[in-house]
Amino acid sequence: MFRMTKFTGYGVVLLMHMARQPDDETHSVTELANEAYLPLPMAQKVLKRLARKGLVESQRGVNGGYRLARPADRITALDIIDALEGAVALTQCAAELDLGSKHDRCEREAYCAASHAWQEINLIVQNALRNVSLRDMVALEWEKSGLRITISGE
Amino acid sequence: MFRMTKFTGYGVVLLMHMARQPDDETHSVTELANEAYLPLPMAQKVLKRLARKGLVESQRGVNGGYRLARPADRITALDIIDALEGAVALTQCAAELDLGSKHDRCEREAYCAASHAWQEINLIVQNALRNVSLRDMVALEWEKSGLRITISGE
DNA sequence: TAAAATGGGACTAAAAAAGTACTGATTGTT
DNA sequence: AACAATCAGTACTTTTTTAGTCCCATTTTA
């Protein structure tokens, strides 16, 4: 329904790990990759992106590493997805839907009609995502895993 | 941010066209494809899927075609996306995030933690989408295109 | 200056999306 | 009954995106 790439999934796992530790502590990619059971190069890639987008800060050199750029309750799900998912589609109207051929003007109009609807939906979804913070995600983790034990042994 | 395939985009355009006409009227694929400026085979593909998922009804033979299976205000954005986007990812936890290698048990645990958060988010998004109907989409189209004219000539 | 980190890309392979084509099954009209 | 219009199913090809790896440059500290 709402699709997310693995890349973003990895990012969340890495960020959650940092969010569980004290704020000022830095974490090397090696450490983070181990924690998340991710191949090192992949973790590097994700973290570099997060750094460039300003969600984490980096410190080079010996004993360097990454840490959250701001407290976990001020990093939203929307921030994370925006950062990792790349500039995204949905409301690109004609440009995106264009099959690249004849019909030039009229085509646009047909699609633009629909695009108004999608813009609206897009806003709704964004608002929903803005209301979930990284801190919430970590909190949910405990709530739910607690529940889990009571329910089943699987 | 929230990514939708072109396929779904086409579906919306086709459904909106039907929603603008009287409910009982049937529309041939040829007609719909022309209206939407879509290649015929593509429109066929989309409509077949919509029919199989029960969003539209089909009538074979001469003068046959498609029509909405229920009134436009009872078809939600969620219905449409579910039908066209295929079973979707997001909350598939380990199965999806698995890099397919060593780390078997522990890996799961790391990702499942994050998945609780995503499940929650997924629910929020779904609710948002359930509140937008095909009729709303058509309505938005007019509202906004009215605005548009006043603002700019582009 | 050597070692431990991140930074920025380029590159490859696998998977998914986008688009087309073909063949079969109904149904209404003559 | 034959024909033509119309949907149904599925297989196939091409293109685009994802996923993952690698290499070399830069920064920092001991």
Side-chain angles (χ1 to χ4, degrees), chain B residues 48-57 68-70 75 83:
Chain B
K48 274 184 269 192
R49 175 80 69 87
L50 287 172
R52 209 165 346 157
K53 297 290 182 160
L55 294 199
V56 300
E57 285 172 350
L68 298 182
R70 49 183 193 271
I75 295 179

Side-chain angles (χ1 to χ4, degrees), chain A residues 93-109:
Chain A
C93 198
E96 241 256 305
L97 293 167
D98 196 339
L99 285 178
S101 56
K102 336 82 191 174
H103 329 293
D104 234 332
R105 186 65 197 150
C106 309
E107 184 169 35
R108 304 252 158 116
E109 289 172 15

Side-chain angles (χ1 to χ4, degrees), chain B residues 12 15-16 19 68 72 75-77 80 132-139:
Chain B
V12 170
L15 288 168
M16 283 179 74
L68 298 182
I75 295 179
T76 70
I80 302 173
V132 181
S133 76
L134 181 56
R135 180 175 303 291
D136 295 332
M137 296 190 203
V138 173

Side-chain angles (χ1 to χ4, degrees), chain A residues 1-3 118 121, chain B residues 2-5 7-9 11-12 15 46 48-56 70 74-92 122-123 125-132 137:
Chain A
M1 219 267 359
F2 162 67
R3 197 178 15 148
W118 287 116
I121 291 176
Chain B
F2 162 67
R3 198 178 14 151
M4 176 180 80
T5 61
F7 201 66
T8 305
V12 170
L15 288 168
V46 174
K48 274 184 269 192
R49 175 80 69 87
L50 287 172
R52 209 165 346 157
K53 297 290 182 160
L55 294 199
V56 300
R70 49 183 193 271
R74 290 187 35 230
I75 295 179
T76 70
L78 182 60
D79 292 332
I80 302 173
I81 294 174
D82 269 350
L84 297 176
E85 208 67 11
V88 182
L90 189 39
T91 331
Q92 286 193 2
N122 213 23
L123 284 178
V125 172
Q126 287 194 3
N127 280 331
L129 293 177
R130 229 189 302 272
N131 283 321
V132 181
M137 296 190 203

Side-chain angles (χ1 to χ4, degrees), chain A:
Chain A
M1 219 267 359
F2 162 67
R3 197 178 15 148
M4 177 178 81
T5 61
K6 291 190 181 184
F7 201 66
T8 304
Y10 299 156
V12 170
V13 173
L14 294 169
L15 288 167
M16 284 178 74
H17 177 70
M18 288 190 261
R20 280 187 225 107
Q21 316 285 125
D23 278 358
D24 53 333
E25 205 168 300
T26 71
H27 310 265
S28 72
V29 180
T30 311
E31 174 203 328
L32 290 165
N34 281 336
E35 286 290 336
Y37 297 96
L38 279 179
L40 187 64
M42 199 62 206
Q44 286 175 326
K45 196 178 186 179
V46 174
L47 288 161
K48 276 186 267 192
R49 175 80 70 87
L50 287 172
R52 207 167 345 160
K53 298 290 183 164
L55 294 199
V56 299
E57 285 172 349
S58 64
Q59 173 69 41
R60 289 193 186 181
V62 179
N63 291 346
Y66 291 95
R67 65 172 162 274
L68 297 183
R70 49 182 192 271
D73 55 359
R74 292 187 34 229
I75 295 178
T76 70
L78 182 60
D79 293 331
I80 302 173
I81 293 174
D82 269 350
L84 297 175
E85 207 67 11
V88 182
L90 188 39
T91 330
Q92 285 192 3
C93 198
E96 241 256 305
L97 293 167
D98 196 339
L99 285 178
S101 56
K102 336 82 191 174
H103 329 293
D104 234 332
R105 186 65 197 150
C106 309
E107 184 169 35
R108 304 252 158 116
E109 289 172 15
Y111 291 123
C112 280
S115 90
H116 293 138
W118 287 116
Q119 277 170 19
E120 203 70 15
I121 291 176
N122 212 22
L123 284 178
I124 295 175
V125 172
Q126 288 193 3
N127 281 331
L129 292 178
R130 229 190 302 272
N131 284 321
V132 181
S133 74
L134 181 56
R135 179 173 306 288
D136 295 333
M137 297 189 202
V138 173
L140 271 166
E141 168 184 8
W142 298 116
E143 268 178 52
K144 300 261 172 151
S145 66
L147 262 181
R148 210 169 189 223
I149 289 169
T150 6
I151 292 172
S152 145
E154 202 274 335

Side-chain angles (χ1 to χ4, degrees), chain B residues 3 27-29 48 52 58-66 99:
Chain B
R3 198 178 14 151
H27 311 267
S28 72
V29 180
K48 274 184 269 192
R52 209 165 346 157
S58 64
Q59 172 68 42
R60 288 192 185 181
V62 179
N63 292 345
Y66 292 96
L99 286 177

